[in-house]
Amino acid sequence: KNQVEQSPQSLIILEGKNCTLQCNYTVSPFSNLRWYKQDTGRGPVSLTIMTFSENTKSNGRYTATLDADTKQSSLHITASQLSDSASYICVVTLNYGGSQGNLIFGKGTKLSVKP
Amino acid sequence: GAVVSQHPSWVICKSGTSVKIECRSLDFQATTMFWYRQFPKQSLMLMATSNEGSKATYEQGVEKDKFLINHASLTLSTLTVTSAHPEDSSFYICSASHGDTQYFGPGTRLTVL
């Protein structure tokens, strides 16, 4: 069964601290893995995308890693800011000939950054 | 970057009425758009794939007669929740493909009283 599991479910950190979110997946055939940020009451916004051959991808203070052998990914947030408070969703795309509808969503990690 | 908008951002309606939600790709054309539903603390669940000029493809368990989808142009898809009931209250999100990325709209919060 194609699944994406994220941990932790929720996380509270102090402003300025770093944190790492985890994503494990059992999805086949694999096309790519994305991390999205979803603010409360808003749609998801893409942070990073990685294909099978990519190990790491950065976007400002966000750094994503991918280990295709163990089927694990992580999202590291550096020097957190209050505006980083959101849900972070790991999404794996199935490789079905280019269809963009075959997305498997994790349930997300709800991050709260406190002053 | 590519922008997807939704209208309205929130709507409250009485049980039994119908509600239409619009999804627009503002600066690109999208032959395919997607409709998702998200319940509190849950992940997005794909409801249907909307194809311009043809019938939508619904996921298993989604009633096509209840959730009417029309993709009349390359920049507009609409979702109509017919005869809405309180259990239809949810956050509805659309997305559109542009290149290798799926861009999501800001979502529509539907509350059925």
Side-chain angles (χ1 to χ4, degrees):
Chain A
K1 183 180 179 182
N2 290 315
Q3 282 186 315
V4 175
E5 302 285 345
Q6 290 187 243
S7 62
Q9 276 190 330
S10 61
L11 181 62
I12 300 174
I13 62 173
L14 293 176
E15 185 179 12
K17 298 296 186 181
N18 304 334
C19 66
T20 300
L21 314 180
Q22 301 290 342
C23 173
N24 297 334
Y25 62 92
T26 54
V27 176
S28 180
F30 175 91
S31 178
N32 58 60
L33 184 147
R34 301 171 187 269
W35 282 92
Y36 283 89
K37 178 186 180 186
Q38 184 178 21
D39 291 309
T40 301
R42 308 290 294 176
V45 175
S46 179
L47 295 175
T48 62
I49 174 175
M50 288 180 292
T51 58
F52 185 87
S53 59
E54 296 177 291
N55 299 121
T56 185
K57 184 73 69 76
S58 291
N59 177 3
R61 294 181 295 103
Y62 302 105
T63 299
T65 65
L66 174 64
D67 186 334
D69 292 329
T70 62
K71 297 187 177 181
Q72 296 180 326
S73 176
S74 67
L75 179 69
H76 186 75
I77 303 175
T78 304
S80 61
Q81 300 175 358
L82 298 178
S83 58
D84 292 332
S85 295
S87 286
Y88 292 83
I89 305 172
C90 176
V91 183
V92 179
T93 302
L94 287 162
N95 186 9
Y96 280 158
S99 170
Q100 291 295 309
N102 297 303
L103 303 183
I104 310 297
F105 289 80
K107 290 187 176 182
T109 293
K110 185 173 177 59
L111 175 66
S112 298
V113 181
K114 303 294 185 184
Chain B
V3 179
V4 176
S5 70
Q6 282 185 241
H7 178 80
S9 56
W10 59 271
V11 58
I12 302 173
C13 69
K14 292 182 178 180
S15 184
T17 60
S18 295
V19 175
K20 179 186 285 188
I21 303 170
E22 293 185 347
C23 176
R24 294 181 185 273
S25 56
L26 297 185
D27 49 2
F28 66 99
Q29 294 182 329
T31 56
T32 304
M33 291 184 174
F34 305 91
W35 287 97
Y36 295 85
R37 182 166 51 184
Q38 185 178 31
F39 292 106
K41 299 183 179 180
Q42 298 293 316
S43 59
L44 280 72
M45 296 297 297
L46 180 65
M47 299 175 65
T49 302
S50 170
N51 303 295
E52 188 268 336
S54 65
K55 292 183 178 180
T57 303
Y58 290 82
E59 295 299 301
Q60 191 174 10
V62 178
E63 300 175 57
K64 62 180 180 181
D65 294 330
K66 180 170 182 62
F67 299 99
L68 301 179
I69 291 174
N70 185 4
H71 196 154
S73 77
L74 288 171
T75 60
L76 173 64
S77 176
T78 61
L79 168 68
T80 301
V81 183
T82 61
S83 187
H85 289 101
E87 57 264 30
D88 298 323
S89 298
S90 186
F91 193 52
Y92 292 86
I93 304 174
C94 73
S95 71
S97 294
H98 187 56
D100 63 355
T101 298
Q102 202 170 128
Y103 292 90
F104 290 86
T108 296
R109 171 73 60 190
L110 170 63
T111 301
V112 184
L113 302 177

